[in-house]
């Protein structure tokens, strides 16, 4: 229901803003831009889905090997002490635990193309446990909010964009981005836990939190000693090695367990193809809504209004130039990347605004895209408080990015 209101709001606000431009500014081309944006975004939605078809088939085929060979069950047993606390409604040892782990791991490594199919696989398994097939369950909401919070260890793509834009030190946004996305994820988990009355003060979760903190500290220590020229290639190489190792591990495990890995892969790949077709309507709906909202100039008005309010409060407005990227990332990842690049072109890659734009882009993920695709893949129409919790995590990530960037770069 919340997604319904938000989707309608995109069109209503876009129409009102466009009508105002026509009547008061004489902008006769604004409605042409709106209509053109619907055509281009519809085409883009289909192309995205088409591009996902092969990836979905590949990764769902790999996951089917893991499911048939028992590897997913083994991962579930290993993760059960922590995940049973975060997802108490999932039966102990259920395959969904392993799929969730694989998806979150791919996200943390910045492997976006691999993370989406794994996430859709997890959603399908969670839907099997759902007594009300049109309503989001508690585990679904927790899973998607962790996804939308966008916890990532090494923002390789953002650093590559900075290098292409001529940044003197493309990797200087690494630590601020890591801290910002950690805040976003922590707030997202806490928000969902409060709404679902999940107790996080238990031994397994506290131990995991300590291990993650130690890992972050070690990563930061290593990063501080690696030259900026080596960081990007090494990060990319490590991610690719890990990704291919996962594929090989599933296949070898399947052979060891005497599983017909080829037939299992084909079975899973067929499911992946069907999933890619099912998400097309949801992608078209939201990408068109986002496109008209942006084409009408509503996003520019929103940012300008925020700047006016901030100035009235006597607060420094230097960060406002990065807000289009920060706000757009909740709606569209590709649009946010475009705005991030545009900001670096306008202000400079090494400017405060240019760096903040990059940190804000990596602070969390594309909330509405993830919710639309993941819920759409299993036919969920009643999202309950998933949008609210996801946006709270987004807001915390934006605020953390601004505050931390002032500490590091201003």
């Amino acid at each position: 229901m919340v997604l319904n209101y938000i989707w309608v709001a995109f069109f209503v606000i876009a129409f009102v803003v466009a009508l105002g431009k026509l009547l008061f500014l004489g902008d006769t081309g604004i409605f042409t831009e709106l209509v053109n944006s619907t055509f281009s975004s519809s085409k883009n939605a289909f192309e995205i889905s088409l591009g996902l078809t092969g990836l979905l088939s590949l990764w769902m085929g790999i996951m089917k090997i893991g499911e048939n060979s028992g590897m997913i069950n083994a991962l579930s047993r290993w993760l059960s002490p922590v995940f049973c606390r975060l997802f108490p409604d999932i039966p102990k040892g259920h395959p969904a635990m392993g799929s969730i782990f694989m998806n979150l791991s791919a996200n943390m490594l910045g492997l976006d193309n691999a993370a989406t199919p794994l996430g859709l696989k997890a959603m399908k398994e969670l839907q099997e446990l759902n007594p009300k097939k049109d309503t989001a369950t508690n585990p679904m909401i927790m899973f998607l909010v962790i996804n939308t919070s966008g916890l990532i260890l090494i923002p390789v793509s953002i650093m590559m964009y900075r290098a292409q834009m001529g940044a003197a030190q493309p990797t200087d946004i690494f630590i601020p981005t890591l801290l910002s996305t950690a805040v976003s994820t922590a707030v997202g988990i806490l928000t969902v836990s409060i709404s679902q009355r999940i107790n996080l003060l238990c031994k397994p979760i506290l131990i995991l939190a300590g291990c993650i903190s130690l890992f972050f500290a070690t990563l930061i220590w290593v990063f501080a000693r690696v030259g900026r020229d080596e960081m990007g290639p090494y990060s990319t190489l490590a991610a690719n090695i890990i990704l291919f190792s996962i594929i090989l591990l599933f296949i070898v495990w399947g052979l060891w367990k005497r599983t017909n890995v080829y037939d299992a892969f084909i079975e899973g790949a067929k499911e992946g193809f069907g999933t890619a077709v099912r998400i097309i309507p949801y992608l078209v709906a939201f990408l068109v809504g986002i496109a008209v909202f942006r084409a009408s100039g509503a996003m520019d008005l929103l940012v300008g209004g925020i700047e006016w309010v901030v100035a009235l409060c006597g607060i420094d407005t230097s960060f406002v130039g990065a807000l289009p990227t920060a706000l757009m990332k909740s709606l569209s990842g590709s649009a946010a990347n475009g705005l991030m690049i545009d900001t670096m072109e306008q202000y400079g890659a090494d400017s405060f605004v240019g760096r903040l734009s990059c940190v804000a882009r990596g602070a969390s993920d594309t909330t509405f895209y993830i919710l639309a695709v993941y819920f759409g893949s299993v036919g969920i129409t009643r999202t309950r408080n998933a949008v609210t919790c996801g946006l709270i995590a987004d807001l915390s990530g934006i605020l953390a990015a601004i505050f931390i960037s002032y500490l590091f770069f201003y």
Side-chain angles (χ1 to χ4, degrees):
M1 188 62 68
V2 176
L3 287 177
N4 172 59
Y5 292 141
I6 292 173
W7 188 69
V8 172
F10 283 149
F11 289 91
V12 173
I13 294 173
F15 177 79
V16 171
V17 172
L19 187 62
K21 285 187 173 183
L22 175 62
L23 295 178
F24 298 105
L25 301 178
D27 187 352
T28 57
I30 184 63
F31 280 96
T32 301
E33 292 182 25
L34 288 184
V35 173
N36 288 340
S37 71
T38 64
F39 294 151
S40 61
S41 58
S42 298
K43 179 182 177 182
N44 187 36
F46 178 76
E47 290 174 348
I48 290 174
S49 180
L50 190 64
L52 280 175
T53 303
L55 292 169
L56 282 168
S57 298
L58 168 64
W59 284 100
M60 286 195 169
I62 295 296
M63 291 299 290
K64 179 61 71 172
I65 294 175
E67 182 180 327
N68 291 356
S69 65
M71 187 173 185
I72 300 298
N73 288 332
L75 284 172
S76 301
R77 290 192 297 271
W78 180 62
L79 293 166
S80 60
V82 172
F83 277 18
C84 283
R85 268 71 174 186
L86 291 177
F87 304 96
D89 295 338
I90 300 179
K92 188 175 181 180
H94 193 274
M97 293 289 193
S99 298
I100 290 172
F101 171 75
M102 297 298 294
N103 167 262
L104 298 181
S105 298
N107 272 325
M108 292 174 69
L109 293 169
L111 306 174
D112 296 336
N113 291 337
T116 300
L118 297 174
L120 294 174
K121 175 69 172 176
M123 284 296 290
K124 180 185 175 184
E125 291 167 348
L126 291 174
Q127 181 71 339
E128 294 173 357
L129 301 172
N130 188 0
K132 298 180 179 179
K133 299 302 182 182
D134 65 339
T135 304
T137 62
N138 284 348
M140 286 179 178
I141 294 173
M142 174 65 84
F143 172 57
L144 289 188
V145 170
I146 294 176
N147 259 275
T148 61
S149 67
L151 181 62
I152 184 172
L153 298 181
I154 304 175
V156 176
S157 60
I158 297 176
M159 293 190 293
M160 290 176 62
Y161 281 127
R162 285 185 53 75
Q164 292 170 1
M165 297 303 299
Q169 191 169 344
T171 57
D172 57 6
I173 52 89
F174 169 71
I175 295 177
T177 302
L178 182 62
L179 296 175
S180 299
T181 189
V183 170
S184 177
T185 301
V187 170
I189 292 175
L190 182 62
T191 302
V192 178
S193 297
I194 292 173
S195 68
Q196 297 180 5
R197 299 181 180 179
I198 298 174
N199 180 20
L200 297 179
L201 298 178
C202 55
K203 185 178 179 181
I205 291 181
L206 292 177
I207 291 175
L208 177 63
C211 292
I212 291 176
S213 299
L214 179 62
F215 178 74
F216 276 9
T218 303
L219 198 63
I220 292 171
W221 180 83
V222 170
F223 177 85
R225 284 157 177 77
V226 175
R228 66 176 185 269
D229 295 331
E230 292 85 4
M231 186 62 191
Y234 285 170
S235 300
T236 304
L237 177 62
N240 288 331
I241 290 175
I242 292 172
L243 181 60
F244 189 77
S245 298
I246 290 172
I247 296 174
L248 185 61
L249 177 62
F250 272 72
I251 294 174
V252 171
W253 182 286
L255 290 174
W256 180 49
K257 293 293 183 178
R258 301 182 184 280
T259 301
N260 189 327
V261 293
Y262 180 78
D263 287 348
F265 178 86
I266 297 300
E267 181 184 355
K270 291 178 180 178
E271 296 176 5
F273 181 83
T275 300
V277 173
R278 284 197 301 272
I279 67 175
I280 292 176
Y282 300 91
L283 275 177
V284 171
F286 258 88
L287 289 186
V288 169
I290 292 166
V292 297
F293 183 79
R294 184 183 180 193
S296 69
M299 176 65 77
D300 296 332
L301 289 176
L302 177 61
V303 173
I306 294 174
E307 183 176 12
W308 180 74
V309 172
V310 170
L312 280 181
C313 297
I315 301 174
D316 181 74
T317 60
S318 300
F319 69 90
V320 174
L323 283 183
T325 302
L327 296 175
M328 183 57 69
K329 68 174 175 49
S330 298
L331 304 174
S332 168
S334 58
N337 286 336
L339 288 173
M340 177 182 69
I341 294 171
D342 183 68
T343 301
M344 286 191 284
E345 286 179 342
Q346 182 178 354
Y347 294 92
D350 291 325
S351 65
F352 170 72
V353 176
R355 287 166 167 162
L356 171 56
S357 179
C358 295
V359 175
R361 174 63 186 90
S364 59
D365 214 328
T366 49
T367 299
F368 289 104
Y369 172 85
I370 290 174
L371 293 179
V373 171
Y374 281 36
F375 278 140
S377 70
V378 292
I380 295 293
T381 57
R382 299 178 181 272
T383 60
R384 297 172 58 204
N385 63 344
V387 176
T388 303
C389 293
L391 290 179
I392 290 174
D394 277 0
L395 178 61
S396 67
I398 293 172
L399 295 177
I402 294 171
F403 177 75
I404 292 170
S405 293
Y406 266 101
L407 291 179
F408 276 79
F409 305 126
Y410 194 71

